[in-house]
Amino acid sequence: MSDGLTSVRRMFEGYKTGKIDDAQEYIHPGYFNPDALERTDSRGPEHFANCVAWLHNAFSELHFEELEVIENGPVLFVRVVMSGRHTGDLVGWPATGRAFYAEQLHLCKIVDGKVEYHRDWRDDLGVLRQLGLPKAA
């Protein structure tokens, strides 16, 4: 297992548990996830912490099941299933209490053994449907 894959798995553990006091060990000082631009312009572990806080504000019982990893030098593609329960505000929608699961693809670039860039493609529409949001017209 590469140092990069170890760091990516630690990143997912941080997303799952919210425990990120050691994030500087696996998150690069220049870490950036473009999906968080609407919430923060920070970088590094602070940027990661913002992403984790946002996720935990909206969801509980989080779990990430790793389905596939493709490693190509400093770039890793990780396919996971994320599951949890909607127990907090989700971009203006109040908690529904409903459980959900959705497949995701994550692209991570590793620099100096740490996650420096993180981009994800998620089935957000599928999650919203499982939560009963938004109502179909």
Side-chain angles (χ1 to χ4, degrees), residues 12 18 20 25 27 39 53 62 70 80 98 102 109 116 119:
F12 279 111
I20 55 170
E25 295 176 8
I27 297 295
R39 296 184 307 275
L62 288 170
I70 299 171
V80 301
R98 291 185 178 184
K109 181 181 173 194
E116 189 249 358
R119 178 76 178 171

Side-chain angles (χ1 to χ4, degrees), residues 15-69:
Y15 274 122
K16 174 184 168 185
T17 65
K19 296 177 184 174
I20 55 170
D21 293 341
D22 60 349
Q24 72 284 352
E25 295 176 8
Y26 55 91
I27 297 295
H28 190 274
Y31 174 85
F32 175 64
N33 180 338
D35 285 342
L37 279 174
E38 64 199 36
R39 296 184 307 275
T40 183
D41 59 359
S42 64
R43 297 290 186 271
E46 179 184 342
H47 185 85
F48 177 65
N50 181 281
C51 296
V52 171
W54 179 88
L55 191 66
H56 279 262
N57 181 59
F59 304 114
S60 62
E61 302 174 28
L62 288 170
H63 182 73
F64 293 88
E65 177 187 355
E66 185 179 290
L67 301 177
E68 180 179 16
V69 175

